[in-house]
Structures are given as structure tokens and as C-alpha cells.
Amino acid sequence: MMFVRLINCAVITTLLSLISFGLTGCFSSNPKDIEAFIKPQQVNVTAEKYILQPPDEIEIHCARVPELNMQRQRIRPDGKVSFENIGEFMAAGKTPAELSESMQKQMSSMYTLVGDKPIEVRIMAFQSKVYYVLGQVYFPGPKVYSGRDSVLTALSVTQPNPMAWIKRIQVIRPSDDLSVRPKIFEVDFDRMAAHGDITKNVLLQEGDVIFVPPTVLAAAAMTIEEFIRPITRAFSGVGAVQGGLNPYVGGGYGGERY
């Protein structure tokens, strides 16, 4: 009886607190923060240059150096790529053009390289730049950043689930500077998808976060489940132990009843 009362009290308390949370609105978004984001019609891409980082994959084109030509390498965790009979090159932190120039300088004593760009570095797999979609979606996690990813594109790919509060999706741009707060604004995905309102369909940048919160009832259900599960398991374990050791329970030792 005490267990039932405890659970009922916890359920009521949790529901009241979560409903209060939903009604008062504890999100930290600011409508003006959308001004920090770029809209698709304003620019072609959001990145001015691409900085190589692990685990990007590159391919080298250099017809005068057979050991290099058409060689494809994944940038290692230490930031380097290596080629047989030639050696290692630091690739992380450089643009493809900067890596080409660095390789050309290092190899000029070994080979006669002519022309403006005797070595060309091409990116074959963009893997190091990501944005994040988290919360109530079917396919959460980091997504490869292409430079043309919009909020609508990201949500269409990750697909909000039935527990999602699609009217209060948070778009977040974190700040590397601790003295500058992150930029956060809300998106009503229902208006965007069902009514064609794309006024808040901004382009994402590397590191941006889209958080899809649960509805009030969904959050209440998850919190209650999280609270009840260990208690239920504890009582189930006690019952199993008592049932196994009680000689008056069917089976007992030797399967006899006393």
C-alpha cells in the first residue's frame, strides 16, 4: 500500500511540475537571435573555406610524381597523411590549397615540379564538419555539414517522432567564447511543413544544434518511467528472492509443500 501511495504521489508531483514547466515556458530562446543566421536566398554557401580535419579523405593529383598521383588518403587522428617513399605531411588545419603548397615546397628538392599548381589536393569525402539534430526525432545525431543545410532539410531528414513538440523546436548556435551566450530561436515546424512558412528556414553552420523537445505529456511519461523503472525492478527482485526461499511457496526445496 505504501508503495502504491509513493508511486501515486510521485506521478502527481511530476505531472504538475512538468505541466507548470510547459505553461510557463522555460526555453531560453530569443526571437532576435535569428538575425545571427543566414537565409538560403541570401548566400550560396555558409562556409568561406574548408579546413581539412580528421577523418576527411583527400586525393592527390600530380602527374609528375607517380608515387603521389591519384593516391587517396584519410587524414589520420594525428592530422597527417603519409605516402610510400615520400613521407608524411600535416594536413589538419589547412585548406586544400594550403596543403598543396606545403607538399610542393617539401617535394621541390626531390622532383622538378613546373606550373602554377603542379600538385592538386581534392576532397573526396567530407567527414569532419557536422551539425547536430537531437531530441525527439527518428534519426538523431551528428549530420555531415555540406554548406547548404537548412532547418527544413535537417528536420526532413531526421523526421520528428510523435513525441516531438514540433511547435517549439530550438535552433542553437553555440559560442566558443564563454562570455558570449549562444544564439537560440524557436521554429514552428508545423507552420513550416504544413503551411509553407519558411521565414525561419535558415542555413545551418558547422556545429549548430537543432533540439526537438518532447511535448509536456511525453516528457511527463518519460520522467515517470525513469522514476518507476528502478523501483519496480527492486520490488520484483525482492519478490523473486522471497518466492525462491519461502518453503511454503509451491516448489520449495525438492518441490514439496509443507
Side-chain angles (χ1 to χ4, degrees):
M1 182 62 69
M2 288 298 295
F3 174 69
V4 174
R5 289 180 179 176
L6 178 63
I7 293 300
N8 287 338
C9 180
V11 169
I12 293 172
T13 303
T14 304
L15 280 173
L16 288 176
S17 62
L18 285 171
I19 290 173
S20 175
F21 166 84
L23 292 177
T24 55
C26 293
F27 296 107
S28 57
S29 56
N30 182 351
K32 291 186 178 180
D33 282 353
I34 194 173
E35 297 174 2
F37 293 75
I38 300 173
K39 295 187 177 181
Q41 68 273 16
Q42 295 175 343
V43 297
N44 290 326
V45 294
T46 53
E48 296 181 358
K49 57 183 179 180
Y50 191 91
I51 304 298
L52 296 169
Q53 295 289 356
D56 290 333
E57 292 186 17
I58 60 173
E59 187 175 83
I60 311 300
H61 289 251
C62 182
R64 291 183 175 273
V65 184
E67 296 92 330
L68 276 181
N69 193 40
M70 302 299 291
Q71 292 295 312
R72 184 167 178 169
Q73 293 279 338
R74 172 176 291 183
I75 300 175
R76 304 193 310 244
D78 63 358
K80 297 179 180 180
V81 291
S82 58
F83 301 91
E84 186 177 1
N85 299 326
I86 295 179
E88 295 182 332
F89 300 91
M90 175 57 72
K94 295 182 171 66
T95 65
E98 289 170 344
L99 178 57
S100 298
E101 184 178 353
S102 175
M103 294 178 69
Q104 182 177 346
K105 289 180 179 179
Q106 187 171 329
M107 297 178 60
S108 59
S109 60
M110 303 168 56
Y111 298 90
T112 301
L113 302 174
V114 296
D116 295 333
K117 295 181 179 180
I119 300 176
E120 181 184 1
V121 176
R122 299 180 184 178
I123 304 174
M124 305 306 293
F126 299 84
Q127 299 291 340
S128 65
K129 308 295 184 289
V130 298
Y131 63 91
Y132 305 88
V133 183
L134 306 173
Q136 302 306 308
V137 293
Y138 284 112
F139 307 102
K143 308 298 174 184
V144 176
Y145 166 71
S146 69
R148 286 294 298 177
D149 309 288
S150 69
V151 172
L152 181 58
T153 300
L155 292 173
S156 299
V157 170
T158 55
Q159 301 178 24
N161 63 38
M163 300 178 70
W165 195 350
I166 60 175
K167 292 182 177 294
R168 303 207 64 177
I169 293 174
Q170 309 289 292
V171 181
I172 306 162
R173 178 156 297 165
S175 174
D176 295 331
D177 187 346
L178 296 178
S179 63
V180 179
R181 70 172 184 82
K183 300 294 189 294
I184 308 174
F185 72 94
E186 286 185 1
V187 169
D188 185 340
F189 186 56
D190 179 60
R191 289 188 59 82
M192 184 178 290
H195 303 283
D197 183 359
I198 59 171
T199 55
K200 293 186 176 181
N201 184 36
V202 299
L203 285 176
L204 301 172
Q205 291 187 9
E206 176 195 357
D208 283 353
V209 179
I210 297 178
F211 175 65
V212 183
T215 63
V216 174
L217 292 179
M222 289 187 292
T223 303
I224 293 169
E225 182 182 6
E226 182 181 358
F227 177 79
I228 292 177
R229 185 182 295 118
I231 299 176
T232 305
R233 288 180 178 176
F235 275 81
S236 298
V238 171
V241 171
Q242 290 178 343
L245 297 179
N246 190 348
Y248 294 97
V249 177
Y253 291 103
E256 297 179 359
R257 294 177 182 271
Y258 297 91

